């Protein structure tokens, strides 16, 4: 290799990647998790529980090498990651086969990857801005043979403006206005989050945000954002681990939104 001519331009920075450990055994579901599922009306075969356990084993393992979550106790992780994500299942229950869902700021894969295991008839896109996290998500989805999952690495502000390319009978590859449902957890306050996420939904689509005690306060501060983004609060679902704020997108997002990278957070719609 030493004799190879030097490239005329410096090589582009290698895409950050992370190896997953393919020897890992799934974590066993805890009683606390199984009881919470039963009380919430969620039932699934033992193999599915094993798949959640495999997801969790990988998430906690990769978390020792990069920062995915502060919750490392397995008992707590079953509830705050897997169960918390599964509380969304009833909200997505009416989506037809092959409907598309995007999880914005998926990070370690909550809720998107967990929901992809629970709802194999739906197609999931997991979006994150951090290349290393995307690498982990991609590898884990491939290793778990989750063929209903695709991963996009980029910022929501950019992809939310992506109208795809024109083809003979429409547009292909668009992210904007392309999804039947959008999910997000721990990506920002609602007034910011609405601008980052609702552009991805189709008109009539649902946006589901995993929130906590501050849900009402955040909603009150997001009135202008809801209005500007042509959305309405459809309801809030109390769950054992938090609150799901459900928003309906009523009409197409105005062209100006989302604004450029960083702007939604720097200067939230008011
Ligand atoms: N949803 C996961 C991760 C939350 S951390 C969970 O609940 O555990 C927030 C994640 O959102 C990070 O991984 C970060 O990289 C990503 N993120 C933040 N702002 C973003 C943006 N504008 N576009 C895309 N991803 C973003």
């Amino acid at each position: 290799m030493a004799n190879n001519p030097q490239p005329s331009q410096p090589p582009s920075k290698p895409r950050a990647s992370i190896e997953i450990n393919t020897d890992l055994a799934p974590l066993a579901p805890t009683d606390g998790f199984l009881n919470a599922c039963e009380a919430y009306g969620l039932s699934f075969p033992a193999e599915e529980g094993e798949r959640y356990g495999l997801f969790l084993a990988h998430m906690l393992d990769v978390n020792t090498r990069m920062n995915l979550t502060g919750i490392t106790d397995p008992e707590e992780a079953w509830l705050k990651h897997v169960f918390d994500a599964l509380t969304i299942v009833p909200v997505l229950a009416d989506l037809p086969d092959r409907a598309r869902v995007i999880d914005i700021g998926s990070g370690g894969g909550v809720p998107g990857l967990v929901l992809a295991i629970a709802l194999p008839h739906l197609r999931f896109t997991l979006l994150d801005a951090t290349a290393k996290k995307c690498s982990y998500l991609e590898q884990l989805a491939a290793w778990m043979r989750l063929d209903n999952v695709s991963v996009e690495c980029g910022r929501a502000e950019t992809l939310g403006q992506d109208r795809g390319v024109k083809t003979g009978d429409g547009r292909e590859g668009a992210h904007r206005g392309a999804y039947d449902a959008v999910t997000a957890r721990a990506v920002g306050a609602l007034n910011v989050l609405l601008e980052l996420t609702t552009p991805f939904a189709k008109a009539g689509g649902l946006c589901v945000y995993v929130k906590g005690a501050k849900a009402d306060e955040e909603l009150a501060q997001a009135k202008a954002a809801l209005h500007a983004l042509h959305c309405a609060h459809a309801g809030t679902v109390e769950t054992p681990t938090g609150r799901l704020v459900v928003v309906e997108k009523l009409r197409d997002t105005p062209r100006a939104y989302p604004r450029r990278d960083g702007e939604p957070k720097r200067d939230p719609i008011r």
Side-chain angles (χ1 to χ4, degrees):
M1 296 295 272
N3 289 333
N4 277 358
Q6 290 295 312
S8 54
Q9 290 195 333
S12 60
K13 215 168 118 197
R15 192 161 177 255
S17 77
I18 187 122
E19 296 293 315
I20 62 160
N21 175 0
T22 51
D23 293 331
L24 286 182
L27 297 187
T30 59
D31 287 345
F33 167 73
L34 293 172
N35 292 339
C37 288
E38 199 184 334
Y40 202 68
L42 295 167
S43 62
F44 43 80
E47 303 87 78
E48 197 175 309
E50 198 166 299
R51 293 175 71 62
Y52 298 131
L54 193 57
F55 158 74
L56 212 48
H58 279 284
M59 186 190 187
L60 296 183
D61 177 61
V62 168
N63 195 49
T64 61
R65 284 171 273 141
M66 65 182 285
N67 186 23
L68 292 174
T69 175
I71 297 165
T72 54
D73 169 52
E75 181 83 44
E76 206 186 348
W78 272 102
L79 283 175
K80 298 218 173 134
H81 292 315
V82 185
F83 177 74
D84 196 35
L86 291 178
T87 60
I88 298 178
V89 166
V91 184
L92 303 182
D94 292 337
L95 290 180
D97 273 7
R98 300 191 53 73
R100 295 181 74 191
V101 182
I102 187 165
D103 184 33
I104 309 288
S106 204
V110 181
L113 203 77
V114 177
L115 289 169
I117 297 170
L119 301 164
H121 63 291
L122 304 181
R123 293 181 285 165
F124 286 84
T125 300
L126 314 180
L127 168 67
D128 205 281
T130 306
K132 250 185 162 181
K133 294 181 182 175
C134 296
S135 164
Y136 146 82
L137 289 168
E138 253 164 21
Q139 286 183 62
L140 186 53
W143 175 242
M144 292 187 69
R145 296 183 192 282
L146 289 166
D147 55 16
N148 61 333
V149 170
S150 65
V151 177
E152 290 288 341
C153 195
R155 289 193 62 100
E157 293 93 326
T158 310
L159 267 84
Q161 288 287 2
D162 183 351
R163 293 167 170 81
V165 288
K166 248 189 182 151
T167 61
D169 50 0
R171 288 189 164 272
E172 247 173 47
H175 290 288
R176 185 179 176 89
Y179 295 88
D180 302 281
V182 182
T183 60
R185 184 182 85 161
V187 181
L190 264 183
N191 55 353
V192 178
L193 194 54
L194 287 165
E195 181 173 355
L196 294 178
T197 56
T198 59
F200 291 88
K202 294 174 182 172
L206 285 183
C207 304
V208 189
Y209 308 108
V210 184
K211 287 285 167 190
K214 286 193 175 156
D216 288 343
E217 200 181 307
E218 286 190 25
L219 256 172
Q221 284 163 3
K223 280 216 168 93
L226 282 170
H227 181 76
L229 295 160
H230 300 163
C231 290
H233 177 219
T236 300
V237 183
E238 299 274 343
T239 75
T241 45
R243 286 178 191 169
L244 304 179
V245 174
V246 185
V247 163
E248 188 188 348
K249 176 157 156 181
L250 305 172
R251 285 176 285 125
D252 286 346
T253 307
R255 295 181 79 86
Y257 301 114
R259 290 165 292 166
R260 65 175 191 276
D261 287 4
E263 203 62 14
K265 187 169 177 193
R266 196 190 66 75
D267 181 23
I269 299 171
R270 63 188 95 232

